[in-house]
Amino acid sequence: AAAAASVPSPLFKVNSPNVQYTDEHILSKYSYFNTLVTKQADGTMIAEPTETVYEFKTERKVPRVGMMMVGWGGNNGSTLTASILAHKNKLTWRTKSGVHKPNYFGSVTQSSTVRLGVDAEGADVHVPMSQMLPMVNPTDFVLGGWDISSKNLAESMDRAKVLAYDLQRQVADEMSKMTPLPSIYYPDFIAANQEDRADNLIPGNDKRAHVNHIRKDIRDFKAANNLDKVIVIWTANTERFAELIDGVNDTADNFLAAVENSHEEVAPSSIFALACIEEGTPFINGSPQNTFVPGLIQLAERHKAFIGGDDFKSGQTKMKSALVDFLVNAGIKPVAITSYNHLGNNDGKNLSSHRQFRSKEISKSTVVDDMVAANDLLYAKDEHPDHTVVIKYVPSVGDSKRALDEYECDIFMGGRQSISMYNICEDSLLASPLIIDLVIMTELMTRLQYKTIDMPKFSTFHSVLSILSYMLKAPMVSPGTPVVNALSRQRTAIENIFRAAVGLSANNEMGLEHKVW
Ligand code: NAD
């Protein structure tokens, strides 16, 4: 943060006839090159280069942003809150290994760089990703949210047992004044073992009244803190899947009627999502359950509201989406991926219940599908590696999750390669920076518009923010479009969309200038 604060803004300007900076906007004209492939009857293909001209318009003014977390009093919510306060107050703290200062490690926007171009000598020039376009500084987030547990944030942080005591001690006073708003509790959706913490509830069973209550909470928070925008993120417990029932959650109107009738298959997370959609507030789902039933996605599209999900991609799955991408693209054939976890935090406790574990299992299961499908030299049609996911609750390891993974691969001439990994780290310290990135990128997408030649005026991007895929285990994409799980492709998409918005061509690794005479 200290480094970022001293950076002049903007750090670079693009000098091009296709790019214009006004006081309010960055305007760019961008040629999007693609390749259209047509399969012929004889099995050959025709590949045709295509070009579509887009105009992009980015609002330059960075607004005052509030982040409201559902499940604020959980491990992620309390860890993130303490960490942001540590940045705001420029704290340092001691552990047995010395003095520490706050950082944003693990946040792709705050702690990774992008290759902007080359200098006159041909050397690469990198800039922080956060400098590619005007983005909110996470230290400026105004934090709030809901929890079914009434503990204040200092008590929650203590309960979470994630951060060092010397840091907790210094933020405790400020955090003791932060108390989550009462929330919606439909006991059937989360594990029965969560019941003893549910003491901070919005009364009644009327689901429409619950939606309206949440909408009012968002408006009140915005007004009380003088905010331009609010982003809501679900970091509450994993719910069971909602049953998909025709006439209940299949279409926008049926879903609205189901809410009016307080239908039992409408989950708390879907109530929050609906409240946000109706309020025009972006909503991101950080847990694996199917919050976004088809009717809700339709509603988001109808309101042109932004939604994103599902499930933070923090540890094991992030590794998987990098490693399988590498293996398959190296021509090596994973035939079995066996993943085992144990953890001892409240998330682990909730997931020890079968229906909630099932949500996680589904979310973790599809991550290699697109990578496997992309290589028909290794895999026959519909062939998949065996893929198993086990999660066990072991209270004594607390938030320090253990993930053991074995990748069994077929290699050259009938050989076998077994890759075994053992990953240990605090789960909430991986998830918190992802929450930051999700909110920063979502906020940015509310200020980025596009237009093609055929469009009379600028439009926002599609409601379903698939640009967030890098941070999500089971990325949602707009209906009918392909899911990309491969980590490197997801990062490239972010980088190149940001580049397009400032009129720079997509990054490629040709390095022609270094390869020719
Ligand atoms: P946690 O159990 O510590 O926190 C969840 C909080 O949500 C609790 O304080 C609980 O009281 C609250 N809650 C439950 N139902 C609620 C409701 N209806 N409204 C408001 N609050 C509610 O869990 P965590 O470790 O912070 O993880 C949060 C979620 O993120 C989990 O669903 C987990 O599966 C998901 N997730 C976490 C990680 C990670 O930590 N690395 C990765 C991927 C997904």
mmCIF file of all heavy atoms in Angstrom, residues 70-71 73-77 146-149 159 183-185 190 194 197 234-239 268 272 286-288 311-314 345-347 351 360 399 427-428 430-431 473, ligand 1:
data_model
loop_
_atom_site.group_PDB
_atom_site.id
_atom_site.type_symbol
_atom_site.label_atom_id
_atom_site.label_comp_id
_atom_site.label_asym_id
_atom_site.label_seq_id
_atom_site.Cartn_x
_atom_site.Cartn_y
_atom_site.Cartn_z
ATOM 1 N N VAL A 70 -21.946 -10.751 3.471
ATOM 2 C CA VAL A 70 -22.911 -11.623 4.144
ATOM 3 C C VAL A 70 -22.052 -12.702 4.801
ATOM 4 O O VAL A 70 -21.308 -13.398 4.121
ATOM 5 C CB VAL A 70 -23.906 -12.257 3.159
ATOM 6 C CG1 VAL A 70 -25.062 -12.890 3.930
ATOM 7 C CG2 VAL A 70 -24.399 -11.266 2.129
ATOM 8 N N GLY A 71 -22.151 -12.804 6.141
ATOM 9 C CA GLY A 71 -21.231 -13.687 6.870
ATOM 10 C C GLY A 71 -20.020 -12.892 7.350
ATOM 11 O O GLY A 71 -18.921 -13.423 7.466
ATOM 12 N N GLY A 73 -19.125 -11.873 10.165
ATOM 13 C CA GLY A 73 -18.495 -12.336 11.400
ATOM 14 C C GLY A 73 -17.756 -13.664 11.258
ATOM 15 O O GLY A 73 -17.297 -14.235 12.249
ATOM 16 N N GLY A 74 -17.631 -14.159 10.036
ATOM 17 C CA GLY A 74 -16.933 -15.430 9.826
ATOM 18 C C GLY A 74 -15.426 -15.236 9.772
ATOM 19 O O GLY A 74 -14.915 -14.132 9.984
ATOM 20 N N ASN A 75 -14.720 -16.316 9.474
ATOM 21 C CA ASN A 75 -13.259 -16.236 9.405
ATOM 22 C C ASN A 75 -12.808 -15.285 8.298
ATOM 23 O O ASN A 75 -11.933 -14.450 8.511
ATOM 24 C CB ASN A 75 -12.667 -17.629 9.159
ATOM 25 C CG ASN A 75 -12.636 -18.455 10.433
ATOM 26 O OD1 ASN A 75 -13.408 -18.187 11.372
ATOM 27 N ND2 ASN A 75 -11.769 -19.442 10.481
ATOM 28 N N ASN A 76 -13.398 -15.408 7.120
ATOM 29 C CA ASN A 76 -12.996 -14.515 6.030
ATOM 30 C C ASN A 76 -13.352 -13.073 6.355
ATOM 31 O O ASN A 76 -12.538 -12.162 6.186
ATOM 32 C CB ASN A 76 -13.696 -14.896 4.719
ATOM 33 C CG ASN A 76 -13.194 -16.207 4.152
ATOM 34 O OD1 ASN A 76 -12.135 -16.687 4.536
ATOM 35 N ND2 ASN A 76 -13.955 -16.791 3.236
ATOM 36 N N GLY A 77 -14.590 -12.854 6.787
ATOM 37 C CA GLY A 77 -15.069 -11.490 7.037
ATOM 38 C C GLY A 77 -14.239 -10.783 8.094
ATOM 39 O O GLY A 77 -13.819 -9.631 7.911
ATOM 40 N N TRP A 146 -23.706 -8.416 7.249
ATOM 41 C CA TRP A 146 -24.700 -9.146 8.042
ATOM 42 C C TRP A 146 -24.069 -10.427 8.597
ATOM 43 O O TRP A 146 -23.154 -10.983 7.995
ATOM 44 C CB TRP A 146 -25.865 -9.586 7.153
ATOM 45 C CG TRP A 146 -26.592 -8.516 6.426
ATOM 46 C CD1 TRP A 146 -27.769 -7.927 6.810
ATOM 47 C CD2 TRP A 146 -26.267 -7.929 5.149
ATOM 48 N NE1 TRP A 146 -28.181 -7.011 5.865
ATOM 49 C CE2 TRP A 146 -27.281 -6.988 4.835
ATOM 50 C CE3 TRP A 146 -25.215 -8.084 4.244
ATOM 51 C CZ2 TRP A 146 -27.281 -6.237 3.662
ATOM 52 C CZ3 TRP A 146 -25.206 -7.327 3.079
ATOM 53 C CH2 TRP A 146 -26.228 -6.422 2.797
ATOM 54 N N ASP A 147 -24.604 -10.912 9.688
ATOM 55 C CA ASP A 147 -24.258 -12.268 10.138
ATOM 56 C C ASP A 147 -25.378 -12.771 11.044
ATOM 57 O O ASP A 147 -25.991 -11.988 11.785
ATOM 58 C CB ASP A 147 -22.911 -12.296 10.887
ATOM 59 C CG ASP A 147 -22.243 -13.672 10.820
ATOM 60 O OD1 ASP A 147 -22.780 -14.640 11.414
ATOM 61 O OD2 ASP A 147 -21.207 -13.790 10.148
ATOM 62 N N ILE A 148 -25.601 -14.058 11.004
ATOM 63 C CA ILE A 148 -26.603 -14.652 11.898
ATOM 64 C C ILE A 148 -26.039 -14.786 13.315
ATOM 65 O O ILE A 148 -26.759 -15.127 14.249
ATOM 66 C CB ILE A 148 -27.082 -16.042 11.397
ATOM 67 C CG1 ILE A 148 -25.895 -16.988 11.182
ATOM 68 C CG2 ILE A 148 -27.910 -15.903 10.126
ATOM 69 C CD1 ILE A 148 -26.301 -18.432 10.907
ATOM 70 N N SER A 149 -24.736 -14.510 13.461
ATOM 71 C CA SER A 149 -24.127 -14.515 14.796
ATOM 72 C C SER A 149 -23.952 -13.063 15.227
ATOM 73 O O SER A 149 -23.478 -12.230 14.458
ATOM 74 C CB SER A 149 -22.781 -15.230 14.727
ATOM 75 O OG SER A 149 -21.975 -14.852 15.817
ATOM 76 N N ARG A 159 -12.496 -15.445 17.720
ATOM 77 C CA ARG A 159 -13.055 -16.784 17.477
ATOM 78 C C ARG A 159 -12.384 -17.452 16.276
ATOM 79 O O ARG A 159 -12.172 -18.658 16.244
ATOM 80 C CB ARG A 159 -14.579 -16.633 17.241
ATOM 81 C CG ARG A 159 -15.321 -17.871 16.827
ATOM 82 C CD ARG A 159 -16.838 -17.634 16.761
ATOM 83 N NE ARG A 159 -17.212 -16.593 15.792
ATOM 84 C CZ ARG A 159 -18.455 -16.134 15.613
ATOM 85 N NH1 ARG A 159 -19.448 -16.598 16.355
ATOM 86 N NH2 ARG A 159 -18.722 -15.208 14.718
ATOM 87 N N SER A 183 -29.427 -11.180 10.163
ATOM 88 C CA SER A 183 -29.528 -11.777 8.833
ATOM 89 C C SER A 183 -30.651 -12.804 8.737
ATOM 90 O O SER A 183 -31.394 -13.030 9.687
ATOM 91 C CB SER A 183 -28.184 -12.389 8.442
ATOM 92 O OG SER A 183 -28.174 -12.676 7.062
ATOM 93 N N ILE A 184 -30.708 -13.400 7.549
ATOM 94 C CA ILE A 184 -31.793 -14.342 7.244
ATOM 95 C C ILE A 184 -31.316 -15.754 7.544
ATOM 96 O O ILE A 184 -30.253 -16.158 7.074
ATOM 97 C CB ILE A 184 -32.155 -14.244 5.749
ATOM 98 C CG1 ILE A 184 -32.599 -12.821 5.428
ATOM 99 C CG2 ILE A 184 -33.235 -15.239 5.391
ATOM 100 C CD1 ILE A 184 -32.642 -12.544 3.941
ATOM 101 N N TYR A 185 -32.089 -16.493 8.287
ATOM 102 C CA TYR A 185 -31.691 -17.850 8.675
ATOM 103 C C TYR A 185 -32.831 -18.805 8.349
ATOM 104 O O TYR A 185 -33.885 -18.734 8.977
ATOM 105 C CB TYR A 185 -31.377 -17.860 10.174
ATOM 106 C CG TYR A 185 -30.955 -19.198 10.743
ATOM 107 C CD1 TYR A 185 -29.911 -19.931 10.177
ATOM 108 C CD2 TYR A 185 -31.580 -19.703 11.881
ATOM 109 C CE1 TYR A 185 -29.516 -21.140 10.723
ATOM 110 C CE2 TYR A 185 -31.182 -20.920 12.441
ATOM 111 C CZ TYR A 185 -30.151 -21.631 11.854
ATOM 112 O OH TYR A 185 -29.754 -22.823 12.390
ATOM 113 N N ILE A 190 -28.341 -24.493 5.868
ATOM 114 C CA ILE A 190 -26.962 -24.735 6.315
ATOM 115 C C ILE A 190 -26.979 -25.864 7.345
ATOM 116 O O ILE A 190 -28.037 -26.315 7.777
ATOM 117 C CB ILE A 190 -26.252 -23.464 6.850
ATOM 118 C CG1 ILE A 190 -26.998 -22.841 8.020
ATOM 119 C CG2 ILE A 190 -26.053 -22.458 5.730
ATOM 120 C CD1 ILE A 190 -26.226 -21.710 8.688
ATOM 121 N N GLN A 194 -24.685 -25.415 12.915
ATOM 122 C CA GLN A 194 -24.493 -23.961 12.964
ATOM 123 C C GLN A 194 -25.518 -23.279 13.871
ATOM 124 O O GLN A 194 -25.447 -22.075 14.123
ATOM 125 C CB GLN A 194 -24.603 -23.360 11.548
ATOM 126 C CG GLN A 194 -23.557 -23.866 10.581
ATOM 127 C CD GLN A 194 -22.155 -23.464 11.009
ATOM 128 O OE1 GLN A 194 -21.883 -22.323 11.360
ATOM 129 N NE2 GLN A 194 -21.240 -24.439 11.016
ATOM 130 N N ARG A 197 -24.883 -20.732 16.770
ATOM 131 C CA ARG A 197 -24.405 -19.358 16.594
ATOM 132 C C ARG A 197 -25.478 -18.431 16.005
ATOM 133 O O ARG A 197 -25.240 -17.239 15.838
ATOM 134 C CB ARG A 197 -23.103 -19.310 15.808
ATOM 135 C CG ARG A 197 -23.145 -19.732 14.356
ATOM 136 C CD ARG A 197 -21.747 -20.013 13.857
ATOM 137 N NE ARG A 197 -21.033 -18.843 13.351
ATOM 138 C CZ ARG A 197 -19.698 -18.765 13.295
ATOM 139 N NH1 ARG A 197 -18.938 -19.764 13.723
ATOM 140 N NH2 ARG A 197 -19.114 -17.690 12.825
ATOM 141 N N TRP A 234 -21.219 -12.671 -0.810
ATOM 142 C CA TRP A 234 -21.612 -13.774 0.084
ATOM 143 C C TRP A 234 -20.361 -14.524 0.500
ATOM 144 O O TRP A 234 -19.725 -15.201 -0.309
ATOM 145 C CB TRP A 234 -22.585 -14.724 -0.630
ATOM 146 C CG TRP A 234 -23.006 -15.905 0.217
ATOM 147 C CD1 TRP A 234 -22.327 -17.078 0.371
ATOM 148 C CD2 TRP A 234 -24.185 -16.011 1.022
ATOM 149 N NE1 TRP A 234 -23.022 -17.905 1.230
ATOM 150 C CE2 TRP A 234 -24.161 -17.277 1.646
ATOM 151 C CE3 TRP A 234 -25.269 -15.161 1.281
ATOM 152 C CZ2 TRP A 234 -25.177 -17.719 2.499
ATOM 153 C CZ3 TRP A 234 -26.280 -15.603 2.124
ATOM 154 C CH2 TRP A 234 -26.221 -16.861 2.723
ATOM 155 N N THR A 235 -19.988 -14.373 1.779
ATOM 156 C CA THR A 235 -18.909 -15.174 2.356
ATOM 157 C C THR A 235 -19.448 -15.856 3.611
ATOM 158 O O THR A 235 -18.737 -16.099 4.576
ATOM 159 C CB THR A 235 -17.636 -14.330 2.595
ATOM 160 O OG1 THR A 235 -16.641 -15.139 3.204
ATOM 161 C CG2 THR A 235 -17.887 -13.090 3.423
ATOM 162 N N ALA A 236 -20.750 -16.149 3.556
ATOM 163 C CA ALA A 236 -21.410 -16.877 4.646
ATOM 164 C C ALA A 236 -21.276 -18.369 4.383
ATOM 165 O O ALA A 236 -20.711 -18.786 3.375
ATOM 166 C CB ALA A 236 -22.873 -16.469 4.745
ATOM 167 N N ASN A 237 -21.831 -19.151 5.296
ATOM 168 C CA ASN A 237 -21.697 -20.600 5.179
ATOM 169 C C ASN A 237 -22.220 -21.130 3.852
ATOM 170 O O ASN A 237 -23.144 -20.580 3.257
ATOM 171 C CB ASN A 237 -22.479 -21.282 6.292
ATOM 172 C CG ASN A 237 -21.760 -21.164 7.616
ATOM 173 O OD1 ASN A 237 -22.353 -20.797 8.609
ATOM 174 N ND2 ASN A 237 -20.470 -21.445 7.626
ATOM 175 N N THR A 238 -21.618 -22.235 3.457
ATOM 176 C CA THR A 238 -22.078 -22.959 2.280
ATOM 177 C C THR A 238 -23.467 -23.523 2.567
ATOM 178 O O THR A 238 -23.672 -24.193 3.579
ATOM 179 C CB THR A 238 -21.101 -24.103 1.972
ATOM 180 O OG1 THR A 238 -19.828 -23.536 1.650
ATOM 181 C CG2 THR A 238 -21.595 -24.973 0.829
ATOM 182 N N GLU A 239 -24.389 -23.234 1.660
ATOM 183 C CA GLU A 239 -25.742 -23.786 1.791
ATOM 184 C C GLU A 239 -25.837 -25.087 0.999
ATOM 185 O O GLU A 239 -25.024 -25.354 0.112
ATOM 186 C CB GLU A 239 -26.761 -22.796 1.210
ATOM 187 C CG GLU A 239 -26.820 -21.474 1.945
ATOM 188 C CD GLU A 239 -27.699 -20.448 1.239
ATOM 189 O OE1 GLU A 239 -27.874 -20.557 0.002
ATOM 190 O OE2 GLU A 239 -28.174 -19.528 1.903
ATOM 191 N N PRO A 268 -31.571 -18.433 1.558
ATOM 192 C CA PRO A 268 -31.151 -17.104 2.019
ATOM 193 C C PRO A 268 -30.237 -16.396 1.013
ATOM 194 O O PRO A 268 -30.407 -15.207 0.746
ATOM 195 C CB PRO A 268 -30.399 -17.395 3.321
ATOM 196 C CG PRO A 268 -31.033 -18.646 3.841
ATOM 197 C CD PRO A 268 -31.386 -19.457 2.620
ATOM 198 N N PHE A 272 -30.687 -12.608 -0.741
ATOM 199 C CA PHE A 272 -29.705 -11.521 -0.818
ATOM 200 C C PHE A 272 -29.449 -11.121 -2.276
ATOM 201 O O PHE A 272 -29.373 -9.943 -2.605
ATOM 202 C CB PHE A 272 -28.389 -11.941 -0.154
ATOM 203 C CG PHE A 272 -28.358 -11.687 1.323
ATOM 204 C CD1 PHE A 272 -28.732 -12.686 2.220
ATOM 205 C CD2 PHE A 272 -27.977 -10.453 1.830
ATOM 206 C CE1 PHE A 272 -28.712 -12.450 3.593
ATOM 207 C CE2 PHE A 272 -27.953 -10.212 3.199
ATOM 208 C CZ PHE A 272 -28.322 -11.217 4.088
ATOM 209 N N GLY A 286 -19.528 -16.133 -3.053
ATOM 210 C CA GLY A 286 -18.231 -16.757 -2.778
ATOM 211 C C GLY A 286 -18.312 -18.184 -2.283
ATOM 212 O O GLY A 286 -17.296 -18.784 -1.943
ATOM 213 N N SER A 287 -19.522 -18.736 -2.220
ATOM 214 C CA SER A 287 -19.689 -20.121 -1.763
ATOM 215 C C SER A 287 -20.221 -20.963 -2.919
ATOM 216 O O SER A 287 -20.655 -20.429 -3.931
ATOM 217 C CB SER A 287 -20.645 -20.170 -0.577
ATOM 218 O OG SER A 287 -20.122 -19.437 0.494
ATOM 219 N N PRO A 288 -20.193 -22.294 -2.753
ATOM 220 C CA PRO A 288 -20.484 -23.136 -3.921
ATOM 221 C C PRO A 288 -21.958 -23.355 -4.266
ATOM 222 O O PRO A 288 -22.237 -23.855 -5.340
ATOM 223 C CB PRO A 288 -19.836 -24.469 -3.534
ATOM 224 C CG PRO A 288 -19.707 -24.462 -2.063
ATOM 225 C CD PRO A 288 -19.574 -23.047 -1.647
ATOM 226 N N ASP A 311 -18.074 -19.534 -5.634
ATOM 227 C CA ASP A 311 -17.091 -20.204 -4.780
ATOM 228 C C ASP A 311 -15.660 -19.695 -4.989
ATOM 229 O O ASP A 311 -15.059 -19.921 -6.045
ATOM 230 C CB ASP A 311 -17.146 -21.733 -5.034
ATOM 231 C CG ASP A 311 -16.657 -22.546 -3.835
ATOM 232 O OD1 ASP A 311 -16.400 -21.955 -2.791
ATOM 233 O OD2 ASP A 311 -16.553 -23.780 -3.974
ATOM 234 N N PHE A 312 -15.124 -19.066 -3.968
ATOM 235 C CA PHE A 312 -13.749 -18.551 -4.050
ATOM 236 C C PHE A 312 -12.785 -19.669 -4.463
ATOM 237 O O PHE A 312 -12.815 -20.754 -3.903
ATOM 238 C CB PHE A 312 -13.290 -18.013 -2.684
ATOM 239 C CG PHE A 312 -14.186 -16.961 -2.106
ATOM 240 C CD1 PHE A 312 -14.655 -17.068 -0.799
ATOM 241 C CD2 PHE A 312 -14.573 -15.859 -2.852
ATOM 242 C CE1 PHE A 312 -15.486 -16.100 -0.256
ATOM 243 C CE2 PHE A 312 -15.408 -14.879 -2.315
ATOM 244 C CZ PHE A 312 -15.863 -15.010 -1.011
ATOM 245 N N LYS A 313 -11.927 -19.349 -5.418
ATOM 246 C CA LYS A 313 -10.928 -20.346 -5.848
ATOM 247 C C LYS A 313 -9.611 -20.001 -5.172
ATOM 248 O O LYS A 313 -8.824 -19.221 -5.694
ATOM 249 C CB LYS A 313 -10.793 -20.320 -7.370
ATOM 250 C CG LYS A 313 -9.768 -21.323 -7.882
ATOM 251 C CD LYS A 313 -9.935 -21.648 -9.365
ATOM 252 C CE LYS A 313 -9.566 -20.521 -10.299
ATOM 253 N NZ LYS A 313 -9.615 -20.945 -11.711
ATOM 254 N N SER A 314 -9.393 -20.585 -3.995
ATOM 255 C CA SER A 314 -8.264 -20.115 -3.197
ATOM 256 C C SER A 314 -7.074 -21.080 -3.202
ATOM 257 O O SER A 314 -5.956 -20.664 -3.456
ATOM 258 C CB SER A 314 -8.709 -19.838 -1.760
ATOM 259 O OG SER A 314 -9.394 -20.946 -1.246
ATOM 260 N N ASN A 345 -11.818 -25.240 10.806
ATOM 261 C CA ASN A 345 -12.534 -23.994 11.099
ATOM 262 C C ASN A 345 -14.047 -24.217 10.967
ATOM 263 O O ASN A 345 -14.507 -25.338 10.712
ATOM 264 C CB ASN A 345 -12.034 -22.866 10.180
ATOM 265 C CG ASN A 345 -12.153 -23.219 8.708
ATOM 266 O OD1 ASN A 345 -12.884 -24.139 8.348
ATOM 267 N ND2 ASN A 345 -11.444 -22.493 7.854
ATOM 268 N N ASN A 346 -14.815 -23.157 11.125
ATOM 269 C CA ASN A 346 -16.271 -23.303 11.090
ATOM 270 C C ASN A 346 -16.772 -23.721 9.708
ATOM 271 O O ASN A 346 -17.793 -24.399 9.589
ATOM 272 C CB ASN A 346 -16.933 -21.988 11.543
ATOM 273 C CG ASN A 346 -18.432 -22.145 11.730
ATOM 274 O OD1 ASN A 346 -18.888 -23.024 12.465
ATOM 275 N ND2 ASN A 346 -19.205 -21.320 11.032
ATOM 276 N N ASP A 347 -16.036 -23.326 8.666
ATOM 277 C CA ASP A 347 -16.379 -23.776 7.312
ATOM 278 C C ASP A 347 -16.297 -25.306 7.254
ATOM 279 O O ASP A 347 -17.197 -25.977 6.738
ATOM 280 C CB ASP A 347 -15.386 -23.123 6.315
ATOM 281 C CG ASP A 347 -15.665 -23.471 4.860
ATOM 282 O OD1 ASP A 347 -16.833 -23.744 4.521
ATOM 283 O OD2 ASP A 347 -14.706 -23.445 4.065
ATOM 284 N N LEU A 351 -19.183 -28.007 6.540
ATOM 285 C CA LEU A 351 -19.045 -28.944 5.413
ATOM 286 C C LEU A 351 -19.020 -30.404 5.870
ATOM 287 O O LEU A 351 -19.076 -31.316 5.042
ATOM 288 C CB LEU A 351 -17.780 -28.626 4.607
ATOM 289 C CG LEU A 351 -17.782 -27.290 3.857
ATOM 290 C CD1 LEU A 351 -16.424 -27.041 3.210
ATOM 291 C CD2 LEU A 351 -18.877 -27.229 2.804
ATOM 292 N N LYS A 360 -20.019 -28.340 -2.177
ATOM 293 C CA LYS A 360 -18.584 -28.125 -2.388
ATOM 294 C C LYS A 360 -18.039 -29.142 -3.388
ATOM 295 O O LYS A 360 -17.236 -28.819 -4.255
ATOM 296 C CB LYS A 360 -17.900 -28.273 -1.034
ATOM 297 C CG LYS A 360 -16.605 -27.563 -0.802
ATOM 298 C CD LYS A 360 -16.580 -26.107 -1.174
ATOM 299 C CE LYS A 360 -15.742 -25.245 -0.281
ATOM 300 N NZ LYS A 360 -15.897 -23.823 -0.481
ATOM 301 N N ASP A 399 -7.984 -23.007 11.247
ATOM 302 C CA ASP A 399 -8.094 -22.429 9.903
ATOM 303 C C ASP A 399 -6.952 -22.897 8.988
ATOM 304 O O ASP A 399 -6.941 -22.598 7.797
ATOM 305 C CB ASP A 399 -8.059 -20.899 10.023
ATOM 306 C CG ASP A 399 -8.653 -20.190 8.819
ATOM 307 O OD1 ASP A 399 -9.869 -20.328 8.596
ATOM 308 O OD2 ASP A 399 -7.899 -19.509 8.095
ATOM 309 N N ASP A 427 -6.621 -20.860 5.500
ATOM 310 C CA ASP A 427 -7.612 -20.722 4.450
ATOM 311 C C ASP A 427 -8.060 -19.271 4.261
ATOM 312 O O ASP A 427 -8.177 -18.779 3.139
ATOM 313 C CB ASP A 427 -8.832 -21.555 4.870
ATOM 314 C CG ASP A 427 -9.358 -22.377 3.731
ATOM 315 O OD1 ASP A 427 -8.670 -22.482 2.707
ATOM 316 O OD2 ASP A 427 -10.469 -22.918 3.879
ATOM 317 N N SER A 428 -8.275 -18.589 5.360
ATOM 318 C CA SER A 428 -8.831 -17.231 5.279
ATOM 319 C C SER A 428 -7.810 -16.232 4.750
ATOM 320 O O SER A 428 -8.174 -15.175 4.246
ATOM 321 C CB SER A 428 -9.320 -16.773 6.650
ATOM 322 O OG SER A 428 -10.219 -17.728 7.151
ATOM 323 N N LEU A 430 -5.902 -16.951 2.291
ATOM 324 C CA LEU A 430 -5.969 -17.114 0.837
ATOM 325 C C LEU A 430 -7.249 -16.489 0.299
ATOM 326 O O LEU A 430 -7.263 -15.888 -0.781
ATOM 327 C CB LEU A 430 -5.959 -18.598 0.454
ATOM 328 C CG LEU A 430 -4.674 -19.381 0.684
ATOM 329 C CD1 LEU A 430 -4.846 -20.802 0.162
ATOM 330 C CD2 LEU A 430 -3.485 -18.727 -0.004
ATOM 331 N N ALA A 431 -8.338 -16.634 1.039
ATOM 332 C CA ALA A 431 -9.635 -16.168 0.528
ATOM 333 C C ALA A 431 -9.777 -14.644 0.607
ATOM 334 O O ALA A 431 -10.347 -14.029 -0.300
ATOM 335 C CB ALA A 431 -10.774 -16.836 1.298
ATOM 336 N N LYS A 473 -14.087 -20.834 -8.276
ATOM 337 C CA LYS A 473 -13.915 -22.261 -8.554
ATOM 338 C C LYS A 473 -14.830 -22.777 -9.644
ATOM 339 O O LYS A 473 -14.442 -23.598 -10.450
ATOM 340 C CB LYS A 473 -14.242 -23.048 -7.284
ATOM 341 C CG LYS A 473 -13.033 -23.458 -6.511
ATOM 342 C CD LYS A 473 -13.280 -24.655 -5.638
ATOM 343 C CE LYS A 473 -13.913 -24.325 -4.311
ATOM 344 N NZ LYS A 473 -13.037 -23.795 -3.295
HETATM 345 P P1 NAD B 1 -17.136 -19.150 8.478
HETATM 346 O O1 NAD B 1 -18.009 -20.278 8.844
HETATM 347 O O2 NAD B 1 -16.045 -18.762 9.398
HETATM 348 O O3 NAD B 1 -18.006 -17.853 8.229
HETATM 349 C C1 NAD B 1 -19.291 -17.879 7.702
HETATM 350 C C2 NAD B 1 -20.147 -16.894 8.491
HETATM 351 O O4 NAD B 1 -21.424 -16.848 7.866
HETATM 352 C C3 NAD B 1 -20.376 -17.288 9.927
HETATM 353 O O5 NAD B 1 -20.014 -16.216 10.779
HETATM 354 C C4 NAD B 1 -21.882 -17.570 10.003
HETATM 355 O O6 NAD B 1 -22.421 -17.204 11.245
HETATM 356 C C5 NAD B 1 -22.392 -16.709 8.880
HETATM 357 N N1 NAD B 1 -23.672 -17.079 8.273
HETATM 358 C C6 NAD B 1 -24.193 -18.294 7.979
HETATM 359 N N2 NAD B 1 -25.386 -18.184 7.358
HETATM 360 C C7 NAD B 1 -25.627 -16.854 7.244
HETATM 361 C C8 NAD B 1 -26.668 -16.094 6.681
HETATM 362 N N3 NAD B 1 -27.729 -16.677 6.132
HETATM 363 N N4 NAD B 1 -26.582 -14.752 6.719
HETATM 364 C C9 NAD B 1 -25.504 -14.138 7.279
HETATM 365 N N5 NAD B 1 -24.487 -14.811 7.843
HETATM 366 C C10 NAD B 1 -24.541 -16.146 7.811
HETATM 367 O O7 NAD B 1 -16.562 -19.505 7.028
HETATM 368 P P2 NAD B 1 -15.357 -18.837 6.208
HETATM 369 O O8 NAD B 1 -14.142 -19.650 6.442
HETATM 370 O O9 NAD B 1 -15.310 -17.380 6.446
HETATM 371 O O10 NAD B 1 -15.835 -19.154 4.734
HETATM 372 C C11 NAD B 1 -16.998 -18.519 4.241
HETATM 373 C C12 NAD B 1 -17.528 -19.189 2.995
HETATM 374 O O11 NAD B 1 -16.581 -19.053 1.965
HETATM 375 C C13 NAD B 1 -17.818 -20.671 3.146
HETATM 376 O O12 NAD B 1 -19.021 -21.000 2.515
HETATM 377 C C14 NAD B 1 -16.701 -21.312 2.418
HETATM 378 O O13 NAD B 1 -17.051 -22.568 1.858
HETATM 379 C C15 NAD B 1 -16.434 -20.293 1.331
HETATM 380 N N6 NAD B 1 -15.084 -20.447 0.815
HETATM 381 C C16 NAD B 1 -14.002 -20.215 1.610
HETATM 382 C C17 NAD B 1 -12.732 -20.382 1.102
HETATM 383 C C18 NAD B 1 -11.526 -20.113 1.958
HETATM 384 O O14 NAD B 1 -11.658 -19.683 3.079
HETATM 385 N N7 NAD B 1 -10.325 -20.337 1.450
HETATM 386 C C19 NAD B 1 -12.565 -20.804 -0.212
HETATM 387 C C20 NAD B 1 -13.691 -21.026 -0.995
HETATM 388 C C21 NAD B 1 -14.937 -20.820 -0.464
#
